[in-house]
Amino acid sequence: MPVTLVEVAARAGVSPATVSRVLNGNYPVAESTRQRVEEAVRELDYVVNAHARALLHATSGIVGVVLNDASDPFFAGIARGIQGAAAETSRLSVICNSEGDPEQEFAFLDLLRGHRADAVILVGAAPEDEEYRAAAIARAKGLRSSGTRLVLCGRPAPGDDAPGDVVTIDNEGGSIAITRHLVELGHRRIAYVTGPDGRSTTTARLAGFRAALAEAGLAVDENLVVHGDFSRQAGREAVERLLAAGHDFTAVLAANDLVAAGAVSALRAAGRSIPDDVSVAGYDNLPTAVDVWPNLTTVHVPLEEIGRKAVELAFGPGNAQETTVVTVPTELVVRDSTAGPATG
Amino acid sequence: MPVTLVEVAARAGVSPATVSRVLNGNYPVAESTRQRVEEAVRELDYVVNAHARALLHATSGIVGVVLNDASDPFFAGIARGIQGAAAETSRLSVICNSEGDPEQEFAFLDLLRGHRADAVILVGAAPEDEEYRAAAIARAKGLRSSGTRLVLCGRPAPGDDAPGDVVTIDNEGGSIAITRHLVELGHRRIAYVTGPDGRSTTTARLAGFRAALAEAGLAVDENLVVHGDFSRQAGREAVERLLAAGHDFTAVLAANDLVAAGAVSALRAAGRSIPDDVSVAGYDNLPTAVDVWPNLTTVHVPLEEIGRKAVELAFGPGNAQETTVVTVPTELVVRDSTAGPATG
DNA sequence: CTGTTAGCGCCTTCAG
DNA sequence: CTGAAGGCGCTAACAG
């Protein structure tokens, strides 16, 4: 049904080859011919068929972004950076929500491979089990053999031999910084509401927490370490459980700002004032961190920059076999939700 | 570079057609042959070329989503609904951020047309000027002539003759409801921080505000109507300006929850307590509405449902010339940020 | 049940 | 500078 190049050629009274040359502009065409063709294009409202073109070039101009959930501000921030950078190379970004389900993730990877994506950027923490790792490596190899570049974003490489560049976040460093901040304020009993178990991000942030406490000569009370996912609700429920169990703590460190926001509601509902009774700290410095009252102390993660970096790696010069690993730094942001513990 | 169907055929010792039949499964093939083919596919790690396929079918299995900014929770919510519904019809969603720039929006529309998208869903308020309208209608016709379905989401149809189904939000109704709520609480001097000027959503919500006040026999003080965009910062700045100008008001109605969150910070910074000194109400019932303290009274907009509806319309039976318009209802959600004005 | 043939829409030689 | 021809990878007839 759509207009084809042949029809344009007929209308302009030239051969299809000439139309193609005008369209691509990379070949000499007489000015008068060009004008006639351009007019025909306009009159017929012709748009080239991207598939026919992709079939010839074995490339598609699309960048696949596979992430858990684009409505989560963490992923949204990275996706935003990717889109911006991809658009600058005039490529279309395709965002795919895997809902954190490895099966869906792999399905999207195959789909994207079928579409001959120029690059696929896989965003977010990875499951840490062996089976997943093996499958991920296989997928990575498959993508490369199809000529699709792969960049991992916010997760470590699945293995040394796996192809694909990597943009990781200094999660452990940020976690150390914010834990130190609490310790320096005088907190000794700090609750930690982590992300989902067995995910690389969770592990790294938790490791930072433990490292900072160890450094200060403080023991970790395992009763105060609660698992959840990266949602408000998880934060709320975790703190409710902690409170119900009668555990004693003067600060809550959360896996991210959403969790922290949930923690804040739970504490407030229990009549604890923040930061006077309990300090709360988040992670990621999501936009909502300043909606929460008091504004959250958190760790800034340069989300958009991470996305841009990923695109840079995908299409940068290091187009070869080597895999580049970039680690973006994080930075402590002190706001109003943390203070010294109540004396006594 | 990628493996082709012909190579698979050679490996399995059959003809390309047979491989195709195995792959598509819609044609009888001997069990033994099928197994040999499947093995070859596995060994070679073959994935069909989606472009070659699309070239035959004149369809691509992709749904284009064009919106201002996927990291904005309003758009993220709708996009989420679209993705879910599109996935159920095993179609890939392509999200494109236009940054609210009509030119980019049109560029994406053309791009998507070139990719022979099965449908394009255009999300968000539209500029209200004539020039844009004309261009939008032209694009809509172009898409239809290429066999791409168009659905408008959160905006009215550009014209009676423009093709494309529409999912609109009852913005005016929601605005009336929340304004009435404030009036019933006893507020008489209500500030309104609107969205960007000349956008359909802004106009509808403002109209609702005016209608509800008129209904109550109240005059609108134009000094209290301030324009901004749909951001926290706009909310903060608008309220700062209102305060600086010494205007007197007992409630702030915001264009959306982000703006309301900004308004809350500005008020708090000025030492006003909410809702005791000033009531604040938002719109959209974004996730962050419950991060703000006090939790925001707002108007619920069923974002995901809107997205799902849009996909339904795109691929539903009403596949014909007619354009369907669906208006989704909104609902008042009363939380803690609104109360009666301080007496005196 | 399986192979052969033609062609989707475009671009890229190769001639003219 | 322009046209004709072949083929990218796949599938839908048409034979067998």
Side-chain angles (χ1 to χ4, degrees), chain A residues 90-112:
Chain A
S90 56
R91 271 179 259 246
L92 237 191
S93 308
V94 180
I95 298 192
C96 311
N97 287 356
S98 68
E99 309 287 344
D101 174 9
E103 232 172 278
Q104 276 202 61
E105 179 178 306
F106 291 148
F108 278 124
L109 256 26
D110 288 343
L111 206 52
L112 257 3

Side-chain angles (χ1 to χ4, degrees), chain A residues 22-36:
Chain A
V22 171
L23 257 32
N24 295 297
N26 45 10
Y27 216 83
V29 174
E31 187 51 32
S32 62
T33 321
R34 145 167 289 114
Q35 300 210 343
R36 253 183 314 139

Side-chain angles (χ1 to χ4, degrees), chain A residues 4-5 20 24 46 49 53 56:
Chain A
T4 73
L5 182 144
S20 169
N24 295 297
Y46 169 74
N49 184 326
R53 185 171 274 177
L56 276 319

Side-chain angles (χ1 to χ4, degrees), chain A residues 71-82:
Chain A
S71 67
D72 178 314
F74 175 82
F75 293 105
I78 294 179
R80 199 178 152 69
I82 293 174

Side-chain angles (χ1 to χ4, degrees), chain A residues 131-198:
Chain A
E131 195 190 343
Y132 177 85
R133 243 176 50 91
I137 293 179
R139 279 317 188 294
K141 289 187 173 157
L143 281 167
R144 182 175 60 183
S145 77
S146 306
T148 294
R149 304 270 307 159
L150 174 66
V151 180
L152 270 22
C153 213
R155 61 163 69 179
D160 289 338
D161 55 334
D165 297 324
V166 180
V167 184
T168 50
I169 300 168
D170 181 17
N171 278 314
E172 187 164 348
S175 213
I176 289 177
I178 200 158
T179 306
R180 268 188 199 148
H181 164 72
L182 291 173
V183 168
E184 280 164 12
L185 285 172
H187 294 279
R188 291 297 170 266
R189 298 194 50 76
I190 305 173
Y192 188 83
V193 184
T194 78
D197 209 1

